[in-house]
Amino acid sequence: MNTLMFYMNRQEVPPTSDENVTVMETTFNNVPVRIYIPKQKSETLRRGLFYIHGGGWCLGSAGWFGYDSLSRQTVNRLDAVVISSNYRLAPKYHFPNQFEDVYNAVRWFLRQDVLDKYGVDPKRVGISGDSAGGNLAAAVTQQLIGDRDIKIKFKIQSLIYPALQTLDMDLPSYQENSHFPGLSKSLMVRFWSEYFTTDRSLENAMLFNQHVPVESSHLFQFVNWSSLLPEKFKKGHIYNSPTHGTSELAKKYPGFLDVRAAPLLADDSKLRSLPLTYVITCQNDVLRDDGIMYVTRLRNAGVRVIHNHIEDGFHGAISYLGFKIKHRIENQYISWLSENL
């Protein structure tokens, strides 16, 4: 983990404006954000996109060169304002700090006076994020549904290979990609556990899929891949009923059963109020089935969903500068935003 942190920190770039984009840093509700604004004058209000970076809730920032590049491409292609948010990171800070940082920044951005300041059309505001950022984007969008203080809501949400559930670490995608370079099962479990605690007992229990207590067994209905995955993603896998863990871990670290950490745990009454949704999943990714199950549940709840499954894709692909697949996924993602935001 320390090696990953060192690598990510070395990939930071300063907030540098260029001939097309003005880049600045500020805070929204005391949360650091990086803002990208087109330099060209506009006679009309622009679209706005709130972006949340990935990194397993432990790594990364809005200033990482991959996210800086994606933000600039989004601004240039859409003539949109992009807010790229930071948040406090594990292991120094644990859930719900990350969620609360992003939620507080989003609430600030969705104020009418703030949208006016940056020339953003309140009817054309969206949220997006990748991996852990996709998790936070999904959780924040759900939370906004019941927030009566926020009158302006997101028009769309775009989730790029999101992490969405903590209950089942033995999904077909976890089994098939358990040792895949970039994001193995053990690393993803480490990210999940450190989101909640540095106590390695939770990590060990999650690794063996023995962390959910019997009193929470009703939650498995929301992540039962045998009913939520299309046949082609089951590939002969056999669903095994979960082995329950002790109640002690759930009492000490209740976050891993919290819908704000695991958006797939939301019931249908909340899901049906969500906006138009775009989900990118990759075949070679332990998180593949999280995204696919969310697509199924959203569609079952009556939400309009576009699912873009990348057969030759892998986790993190949109951030791999110089790779053809990065440009392909990025182009599909921005094209969808162009048509729907």
Side-chain angles (χ1 to χ4, degrees):
M1 190 68 72
N2 289 335
T3 301
L4 284 172
M5 290 179 178
F6 176 77
Y7 169 77
M8 295 291 279
N9 288 338
R10 288 181 62 86
Q11 307 303 313
E12 296 263 348
V13 295
T16 306
S17 300
D18 58 32
E19 65 273 16
N20 298 314
V21 184
T22 296
V23 184
M24 65 185 77
E25 292 184 328
T26 185
T27 59
F28 281 3
N29 235 352
N30 297 316
V31 178
V33 299
R34 186 173 286 201
I35 304 175
Y36 298 79
I37 303 174
K39 279 191 173 178
Q40 185 174 350
K41 299 292 184 181
S42 176
E43 297 299 321
T44 60
L45 294 174
R46 289 185 162 102
R47 294 176 278 196
L49 183 70
F50 190 99
Y51 193 88
I52 311 163
H53 72 81
W57 309 276
C58 303
L59 307 167
S61 76
W64 187 63
F65 75 95
Y67 295 121
D68 180 77
S69 173
L70 180 60
S71 294
R72 292 174 190 272
Q73 288 295 323
T74 305
V75 171
N76 288 330
R77 290 269 303 273
L78 301 186
D79 188 36
V81 174
V82 173
I83 309 297
S84 189
S85 182
N86 285 302
Y87 48 89
R88 287 172 289 179
L89 300 173
K92 185 175 182 181
Y93 299 99
H94 298 295
F95 175 85
N97 286 297
Q98 292 84 340
F99 170 84
E100 290 176 346
D101 282 355
V102 174
Y103 194 65
N104 287 333
V106 162
R107 293 180 93 251
W108 185 269
F109 179 51
L110 293 179
R111 287 172 37 177
Q112 186 63 60
D113 61 323
V114 175
L115 295 177
D116 289 345
K117 177 179 179 180
Y118 296 107
V120 174
D121 185 343
K123 296 180 180 179
R124 304 183 75 186
V125 184
I127 188 169
S128 182
D130 67 294
S131 193
N135 164 280
L136 291 165
V140 162
T141 305
Q142 289 183 6
Q143 187 81 357
L144 279 174
I145 292 171
D147 193 332
R148 296 182 180 179
D149 294 331
I150 304 300
K151 306 303 181 185
I152 298 169
K153 307 295 184 181
F154 289 124
K155 181 182 180 183
I156 61 97
Q157 62 172 338
S158 178
L159 313 176
I160 304 171
Y161 34 75
L164 297 170
Q165 62 87 32
T166 53
L167 271 65
D168 193 347
M169 300 292 113
D170 204 29
L171 302 173
S173 58
Y174 271 94
Q175 296 180 47
E176 294 168 17
N177 301 291
S178 61
H179 301 292
F180 199 85
L183 188 65
S184 63
K185 174 180 177 178
S186 60
L187 181 57
M188 189 61 225
V189 168
R190 178 73 179 273
F191 281 142
W192 268 124
S193 63
E194 293 220 350
Y195 189 23
F196 307 112
T197 177
T198 52
D199 180 352
R200 301 298 287 273
S201 62
L202 177 60
E203 178 185 353
N204 292 332
M206 293 181 80
L207 196 58
F208 290 99
N209 225 29
Q210 298 177 356
H211 55 294
V212 180
V214 65
E215 57 267 30
S216 300
S217 59
H218 64 285
L219 296 174
F220 279 101
Q221 66 181 305
F222 299 128
V223 298
N224 186 330
W225 63 262
S226 67
S227 61
L228 294 173
L229 289 182
E231 285 299 324
K232 72 174 186 175
F233 295 106
K234 297 178 185 179
K235 292 183 178 176
H237 291 277
I238 298 174
Y239 183 79
N240 295 313
S241 297
T243 301
H244 299 296
T246 66
S247 301
E248 181 182 355
L249 284 174
K251 289 177 180 177
K252 290 172 68 176
Y253 314 114
F256 74 84
L257 299 174
D258 193 313
V259 68
R260 296 173 300 167
L264 258 169
L265 300 185
D267 59 33
D268 289 347
S269 64
K270 176 171 285 189
L271 296 184
R272 67 173 58 105
S273 299
L274 290 172
L276 172 63
T277 300
Y278 180 65
V279 179
I280 294 176
T281 57
C282 292
Q283 182 66 23
N284 307 297
D285 183 3
V286 294
L287 297 179
R288 178 193 72 206
D289 295 346
D290 283 29
I292 295 172
M293 289 194 297
Y294 203 45
V295 167
T296 300
R297 291 206 55 216
L298 290 177
R299 285 176 173 164
N300 289 346
V303 177
R304 289 177 58 208
V305 184
I306 302 300
H307 179 206
N308 181 10
H309 183 66
I310 313 297
E311 286 289 347
D312 59 343
F314 52 90
H315 194 82
I318 203 169
S319 298
Y320 279 71
L321 298 183
F323 282 61
K324 289 182 179 179
I325 192 170
K326 174 251 192 313
H327 298 291
R328 173 156 46 97
I329 296 174
E330 179 180 271
N331 183 60
Q332 293 169 352
Y333 162 72
I334 296 178
S335 294
W336 187 87
L337 289 175
S338 178
E339 294 172 4
N340 293 280
L341 180 57

